[in-house]
Amino acid sequence: MFSRRHFLKAAGQGIALTAVGVRATPSASAAPLAQASPFALPTPIAQEQSAFLINGRTFTTAYEARTTLWEVIAVKLGLTGTNRSCNKASCGACSVLIDGVPFYSCHTLAMEAAGRKILTIEGVGDEKNLHPLQRIGHERVAADCGFCTAGWVVTAKGLLDTNRNPSEDQVKAALAGHICRCAAYPSIVSTVMDSAAVLRGENRPVVEPHSIVHIKQPMVRDFSTHGGHSAGDELIERPSGTSTKKWQGYAPENLKVIGRSMPPLEEVAIPRFTGKAEYASRVRFANMLHARFLTCPHPRARIRDIDTSVAENMPGVAHILTYKNAPAVRVKPDTTTTGPVVTTPNGNRLVPAALPRDMNLQGEVVAIVAAETEDLAEDAIAAIKVDYDVLPFVSTIKDVLAPGAPDLRGGKGNLIRTWESKAGDVERGFAEADIVKEFEYHFAGAVSVPMQPSGSVAKWDGDRLTIWGMGQGIYPVRNALATSLGIEPSKIRFINKWNGSTFGSGRLAAERFYPLMAHLAKVTGRPVKVMLPKDQELAQLLIKPETLTRFKVGAKKDGQIVALQHEILLSVGDVETGYHASGPGNATNQLELYTSGVPHWKSVWSAYKTNAPRPGPSRSYIQQETKWSWEAMMDEMAETLGLDPIEFRLKHITRPKAGDDRYPYDSFASVEVLTEGARVFGWDKRTAKAGAASGRFKRGMGLGMTQHHGGLMGYHEGEAAFPALAAAPDASVFGSEIEVGSDAMLNDAVRMPQNGVAVVGPGDGPMACGEFGPGRMAEPETIFQAIQAALAGGGRLGGKHVIVTAGPTAEPIDPVRVLTNRSSGKQGYAIAGALADLGARVTLVSGPTALPAPAGVTRVDVESAQEMLAACRAALPADAAVFVAAVADWRPDEAFGVKLKKSHDGPPTLRLVENPDILASLAAKGARRPKLVVGFAAETNDLIDNARAKLAHKGADWIVANDVSQDWIMGGDENEVHLVTKKGVDTWAKASKAEVARRLAGKIAEALS
Ligand code: FES
Ligand code: FES
């Protein structure tokens, strides 16, 4: 157990400041503590009161002698930009400058820094006045999750304040005390080098962000890019290849970020550099309680009794939870497991509920203390007495297979489940083989540790709960928590805005304790925060588990495998169902990758209960921990047969096979990946024989590949809902991230219309809670229009689908500049609304406007003409299409990935190229042409002649012409139009755009009836 008391004992009293990197030296002025012995602590802890000079301001606060500088800065004074991660003087996240020298604030006593000049990230620069390190760091993409960012930026500033011309080695040495789990190191170093140049006054050229990979995608030539399609998916043939309905008709080339260098969105990235990204760990309230855990020191034990009476009466302790008084966590019924589990709404079962009485893991949580400070909570933890019945345990596969291994499942044996798949007759195959070899591979297990401490903050306002958490999901997590607490999901607001790299495992380590944090906040009436110390977090993070894999392979002399036996044994901790315990899941992808041509094969999967940490998502799950052994086997088998490893793989990679439903593929990217990869890496130039290279130092080249498709990754889960989406034409789903659990969200969304429920809103804008975005009540007028539209559902255009385009297009020049026009979109929106009022199903493809979508209309937002064309095509089939949008005739030949800057060479030259003609494209003859195609002609001269010419050239049925030389039309509320058809010209008197829309909608209804 780590605590400040132990810290003081360990550190001694003269070694209080912990310096970063190689520049810093312990301060000679570090004042010794008042006590003489490093092992004697004052009881009670001495109180101090000091002035702290932080970022040029003076703060005065009281604190305990053992309080760290981080606690004073981030907790007491509310300068939350300085992150704390390891709390062990190892990662650098908490770095601040003290008198210009970087120190780890988590291992610097506050009293040592009192009265000295302290600089935190808040003093480096803010969004209005970014320091070059922050600005260039953003452009260089030097922050991914951003949890390490504040720390290294401060250290780098300390370096550049004293050395404006550091060498790269000096930069690396200065930052040596910083860990970036996202491994943004190259961009971090180049950010510091470029910032130094800017501070020296050099005019550095704008350089593309380093971490952007230019995706050339050789595999995207002529098939879909998402790893195959499912039976029944609609395939769409297009000039650039085949895509499926899942892609909504957007061909890969229209994914406009691919192949371009773009810095991340400013609103997302800049707060990471200024210390303002609101990780749950940065959330702070003045009256907040802090929770700490007491954990079990034994791998397996039962708690006979637990005594918290002393701890409960200690100073600052608000509440203590143990198995005795913890609330029952409600769970969804799970018929496959014996104990209580936390479940997600989509049925994934996760881990046993927190605070069990039976301990199956060293580090399992025994008690939770909520107190005024973390230190006071730890004091109380130390005073809790636990009487354990310590039991025999098994933590490894070797132990679990050993004769007489303790039975963890009450007489049922430790083997939880086996799963088998096979084809042919393996024994016959081995009998036919010329060569038979056996291989065994062991993976000891691994865990991805996030920078951000797993944790959360819970706060009640009346019967409404707000939880700040971490992870990949929002709604599924909220729903699971609502189930656990037995309240309506609408009573919970779950905030998960930024994450300090969760890697999957961090989410669940935090999520397991949300119900208990909510309970603590409820019973104490105060916000409660927990941030797990790294040593405790390690027991909670879900890991890639230990695996033992055995292969027996039989092959002919020409290298063809004719028989393959695959056996895999996993340690799954105390998780008896779900994830690794339920079956191989996506791990079978690797089996599928190599066995389509193998006549006889068998694969057996066995999951064993152990006292090891629980397996689960940890940068994917049931993937690398099992797939790697296949690659080792393929290499060893190739060597046995004297074949090149690539040749051997190509011999076995899956091809289509009638009747084998394991292969939902329409393409074989694996073949291209291998051949293209071999070419790029210079495989033919490698030293094929191990150790044959000359010289003392040998270099080799190896190969490993993996295949993943259609499993439980978030985007695939999301895909699962698209068929339902397609079947629910009135539903639109807008999401920033298709992630784990999104299927539930999508399914919920698409089910609504199927249940006869029409959804209006929410509106976009500022909300009472201070957030800005979609969440406001829809405007009364919008609701009224929706009711009108719903009542007109059986109107003259009932059952008809009409596409309407509206607004301008915006053609990007660089990330901030566009080529556009003055169209307001008002006429197009009015027409869409009028058509919906007549009962039509309307898809409004809109360029950038400030207008709300008319009620009952499905709006698809686009920017460029190319996107508009793709969206219109995706919306087909349609009965009619009305092209009102003012589409830019030209676009810049190339959109620059970074903002163009002024330079001495004068303004840049833009070359324009023609945009696609949307009207002509959709009006072209073909099976998918809408029955009625209406174009708009905005002309400034020869109005009718130009409209007639357009009617003829574009293949439209009608042209609505208006004279935009009259300055009241573009952007105004009125219009004066001429309806030009093959039969003649019908001139309509000046009227409101709404009236013009109603009249045109009436005409369209007439034409389609
Ligand atoms: S070094 Fe202080 S939090 Fe890691
Ligand atoms: S960006 Fe460095 S840890 Fe994530």
Side-chain angles (χ1 to χ4, degrees):
M1 172 64 63
F2 180 83
S3 75
R4 289 301 143 222
R5 288 174 184 276
H6 294 92
F7 163 57
L8 282 176
K9 284 179 188 171
Q13 295 174 346
I15 315 169
L17 290 165
T18 308
V20 183
V22 300
R23 281 184 65 239
T25 51
S27 168
S29 63
L33 297 184
Q35 289 71 44
S37 163
F39 303 107
L41 280 165
T43 305
I45 300 287
Q47 294 290 316
E48 302 284 334
Q49 167 118 359
S50 307
F52 293 88
L53 309 176
I54 306 175
N55 305 329
R57 289 179 58 201
T58 302
F59 300 82
T60 302
T61 188
Y63 57 97
E64 291 182 332
R66 60 181 168 175
T67 305
T68 63
L69 179 57
W70 181 82
E71 288 166 296
V72 163
I73 291 171
V75 182
K76 287 195 167 288
L77 302 179
L79 294 163
T80 55
T82 302
N83 279 330
R84 188 183 68 179
S85 174
C86 68
N87 201 15
K88 294 217 181 300
S90 301
C91 73
C94 63
S95 296
V96 299
L97 298 185
I98 301 176
D99 292 340
V101 177
F103 284 93
Y104 294 147
S105 63
C106 74
H107 265 54
T108 300
L109 285 174
M111 62 197 302
E112 301 297 326
R116 298 164 70 181
K117 281 191 191 154
I118 300 166
L119 184 93
T120 69
I121 188 67
E122 289 90 346
V124 176
D126 60 22
E127 57 279 9
K128 294 199 187 90
N129 185 24
L130 292 174
H131 187 278
L133 284 161
Q134 297 167 309
R135 180 175 57 76
I136 297 171
H138 167 235
E139 289 168 3
R140 285 281 194 190
V141 200
D144 188 348
C145 79
F147 206 80
C148 69
T149 309
W152 69 254
V153 166
V154 166
T155 298
K157 180 167 189 312
L159 171 70
L160 299 184
D161 284 348
T162 54
N163 181 359
R164 287 280 155 95
N165 198 9
S167 68
E168 200 167 301
D169 281 346
Q170 286 173 319
V171 171
K172 287 178 181 167
L175 297 181
H178 291 266
I179 291 173
C180 174
R181 279 293 282 114
C182 303
Y185 298 113
S187 297
I188 292 172
V189 171
S190 60
T191 292
V192 182
M193 294 298 288
D194 282 357
S195 300
V198 167
L199 290 169
R200 291 195 300 271
E202 289 176 21
N203 194 8
R204 291 283 271 226
V206 174
V207 188
E208 289 179 345
H210 270 187
S211 64
I212 296 291
V213 176
H214 287 256
I215 303 170
K216 300 242 170 43
Q217 298 203 95
M219 296 84 72
V220 183
R221 282 199 304 265
D222 50 6
F223 46 79
S224 62
T225 56
H226 52 278
H229 62 84
S230 306
D233 283 347
E234 184 184 343
L235 297 183
I236 302 165
E237 297 295 333
R238 54 185 66 256
S240 56
T242 303
S243 60
T244 72
K245 195 92 175 174
K246 291 176 203 172
W247 277 90
Q248 303 287 294
Y250 286 83
E253 66 268 24
N254 286 331
L255 300 174
K256 60 186 181 178
V257 294
I258 292 180
R260 295 186 191 175
S261 301
M262 297 182 71
L265 292 175
E266 284 188 7
E267 62 266 34
V268 178
I270 295 292
R272 301 185 201 277
F273 287 91
T274 55
K276 293 192 179 151
E278 195 190 44
Y279 306 100
S281 55
R282 277 184 176 150
V283 173
R284 170 186 176 272
F285 295 98
N287 64 338
M288 195 159 72
L289 293 168
H290 299 265
R292 297 302 256 189
F293 293 174
L294 170 64
T295 59
C296 177
H298 309 291
R300 187 168 170 236
R302 180 172 174 78
I303 302 174
R304 280 201 202 97
D305 199 7
I306 185 164
D307 178 3
T308 57
S309 54
V310 174
E312 278 162 20
N313 292 311
M314 289 178 69
V317 174
H319 200 77
I320 300 178
L321 283 178
T322 68
Y323 76 90
K324 291 183 176 180
N325 64 344
V329 173
R330 294 171 183 82
V331 294
K332 287 202 156 193
D334 184 340
T335 53
T336 56
T337 191
T338 50
V341 292
V342 178
T343 59
T344 65
N346 59 10
N348 282 347
R349 56 133 351 282
L350 304 177
V351 295
L355 288 181
R357 188 172 184 184
D358 290 308
M359 306 279 119
N360 285 312
L361 176 67
Q362 188 174 17
E364 182 60 284
V365 179
V366 173
I368 304 176
V369 176
E372 298 291 339
T373 68
E374 289 181 344
D375 284 339
L376 290 172
E378 287 192 358
D379 290 345
I381 292 277
I384 296 175
K385 293 191 173 51
V386 189
D387 180 12
Y388 294 105
D389 180 10
V390 179
L391 300 167
F393 64 92
V394 284
S395 292
T396 65
I397 292 173
K398 184 166 159 262
D399 290 347
V400 90
L401 297 178
D407 187 341
L408 307 181
R409 302 175 70 234
K412 289 191 284 181
N414 295 324
L415 176 60
I416 297 170
R417 189 169 288 110
T418 59
W419 174 95
E420 185 178 306
S421 180
K422 63 179 180 178
D425 177 347
V426 218
E427 292 313 321
R428 199 180 112 206
F430 286 125
E432 290 169 0
D434 298 322
I435 301 157
V436 177
K437 281 276 283 185
E438 294 188 41
F439 309 93
E440 183 171 295
Y441 303 103
H442 181 234
F443 172 63
V447 61
S448 302
V449 183
M451 282 293 276
Q452 179 181 358
S454 295
S456 60
V457 177
K459 180 173 181 287
W460 290 89
D461 294 291
D463 65 348
R464 307 187 87 84
L465 170 68
T466 305
I467 287 260
W468 289 261
M470 60 190 291
Q472 292 104 324
I474 299 174
Y475 296 101
V477 177
R478 182 180 74 157
N479 290 348
L481 180 57
T483 302
S484 303
L485 298 175
I487 61 175
E488 282 298 310
S490 59
K491 299 279 188 196
I492 300 174
R493 182 162 184 236
F494 179 67
I495 300 177
N496 175 22
K497 208 164 177 180
W498 275 275
N499 278 299
S501 59
T502 69
F503 303 131
S505 54
R507 164 198 162 182
L508 295 162
E511 208 170 289
R512 190 177 183 215
F513 300 99
Y514 292 164
L516 296 180
M517 291 305 119
H519 176 76
L520 279 170
K522 189 82 173 174
V523 295
T524 59
R526 293 169 62 176
V528 177
K529 177 177 197 169
V530 67
M531 290 202 298
L532 268 62
K534 286 294 169 203
D535 53 351
Q536 295 188 352
E537 188 182 70
L538 277 173
Q540 299 299 328
L541 294 171
L542 302 187
I543 67 166
K544 289 198 173 299
E546 181 194 7
T547 62
L548 183 70
T549 310
R550 298 178 182 132
F551 287 100
K552 183 175 175 186
V553 189
K556 291 287 191 190
K557 285 200 186 100
D558 66 358
Q560 178 61 49
I561 299 175
V562 291
L564 190 147
Q565 190 166 299
H566 170 234
E567 184 189 10
I568 184 157
L569 293 76
L570 282 97
S571 155
V572 297
D574 63 355
V575 177
E576 294 210 15
T577 58
Y579 297 141
H580 299 70
S582 282
N586 294 341
T588 57
N589 296 166
Q590 213 73 356
L591 175 76
E592 294 157 8
L593 181 62
Y594 292 126
T595 55
S596 71
V598 177
H600 309 287
W601 57 264
K602 181 170 160 186
S603 178
V604 181
W605 171 284
S606 303
Y608 289 91
K609 181 161 184 170
T610 61
N611 298 109
R614 301 173 183 111
S618 183
R619 311 220 82 170
S620 82
Y621 65 95
I622 330 185
Q623 297 273 345
Q624 299 90 339
E625 62 269 40
T626 60
K627 291 177 174 178
W628 72 277
S629 57
W630 279 90
E631 294 308 291
M633 179 276 286
M634 291 299 279
D635 277 346
E636 291 207 75
M637 199 62 198
E639 195 177 347
T640 303
L641 294 161
L643 292 175
D644 177 89
I646 289 185
E647 187 191 338
F648 185 60
R649 281 172 173 78
L650 286 173
K651 210 173 178 62
H652 293 95
I653 275 180
T654 291
R655 262 82 174 177
K657 194 174 172 209
D660 192 337
D661 59 11
R662 292 183 304 159
Y663 308 114
Y665 310 135
D666 61 350
S667 61
F668 302 98
S670 309
V671 174
E672 290 199 359
V673 164
L674 265 185
T675 50
E676 184 72 6
R679 188 188 63 73
V680 170
F681 285 104
W683 184 258
D684 56 341
K685 297 184 192 64
R686 76 183 185 122
T687 307
K689 190 167 163 33
S694 58
R696 184 170 157 220
F697 298 104
K698 315 285 186 191
R699 294 185 66 191
M701 187 181 285
L703 160 73
M705 67 184 298
T706 183
Q707 169 165 295
H708 172 73
H709 71 78
L712 290 174
M713 293 289 280
Y715 40 87
H716 295 299
E717 289 182 339
E719 283 174 2
F722 278 107
L725 182 62
D730 296 335
S732 299
V733 176
F734 299 93
S736 58
E737 189 183 28
I738 300 296
E739 251 297 356
V740 178
S742 309
D743 57 336
M745 208 159 71
L746 284 169
N747 273 314
D748 283 351
V750 298
R751 274 194 205 113
M752 285 185 201
Q754 292 168 339
N755 291 340
V757 177
V759 180
V760 183
D764 223 25
M767 287 173 279
C769 59
E771 294 280 333
F772 190 95
R776 288 168 61 85
M777 187 188 103
E779 295 301 326
E781 192 186 342
T782 309
I783 296 170
F784 177 70
Q785 286 173 359
I787 294 167
Q788 265 191 326
L791 293 176
R796 296 168 66 196
L797 285 171
K800 305 290 185 200
H801 177 211
V802 186
I803 299 169
V804 179
T805 68
T809 60
E811 309 296 335
I813 297 170
D814 65 19
V816 297
R817 301 181 181 94
V818 292
L819 278 185
T820 188
N821 57 60
R822 294 177 196 277
S823 171
S824 66
K826 286 181 182 173
Q827 186 64 81
Y829 274 60
I831 291 168
L835 289 163
D837 287 348
L838 292 184
R841 178 165 72 84
V842 180
T843 303
L844 173 62
V845 181
S846 174
T849 74
L851 302 174
V857 164
T858 301
R859 186 172 75 185
V860 179
D861 289 323
V862 298
E863 293 209 339
S864 67
Q866 289 175 299
E867 289 173 354
M868 188 171 275
L869 174 60
C872 287
R873 283 183 167 154
L876 291 172
D879 298 284
V882 188
F883 297 102
V884 194
V887 179
D889 291 323
W890 307 285
R891 69 176 186 276
D893 186 19
E894 182 191 5
F896 294 85
V898 291
K899 187 183 167 191
L900 295 174
K901 302 268 192 233
K902 283 183 186 169
S903 83
H904 297 308
D905 302 335
T909 303
L910 295 180
R911 206 177 83 83
L912 300 180
V913 293
E914 253 183 35
N915 263 330
D917 189 325
I918 299 174
L919 173 59
S921 302
L922 273 282
K925 287 198 178 103
R928 291 165 73 81
R929 183 193 192 275
K931 190 173 162 203
L932 180 68
V933 176
V934 183
F936 263 63
E939 304 290 346
T940 53
N941 58 299
D942 302 325
L943 180 62
I944 302 301
D945 286 348
N946 282 333
R948 281 199 175 111
K950 199 166 181 178
L951 185 73
H953 292 146
K954 310 252 177 173
D957 300 301
W958 303 347
I959 293 289
V960 179
N962 56 0
D963 182 355
V964 290
S965 66
Q966 305 179 74
D967 58 9
W968 48 269
I969 290 187
M970 280 196 110
D973 292 324
E974 294 184 311
N975 209 348
E976 186 173 4
V977 304
H978 310 267
L979 182 62
V980 181
T981 67
K982 284 169 196 149
K983 291 186 191 155
V985 179
D986 187 5
T987 299
W988 298 356
K990 180 176 171 182
S992 69
K993 285 184 174 171
E995 181 51 36
V996 170
R998 275 193 287 276
R999 196 163 168 188
L1000 184 64
K1003 284 263 177 204
I1004 291 170
E1006 214 173 277
L1008 294 181
S1009 62

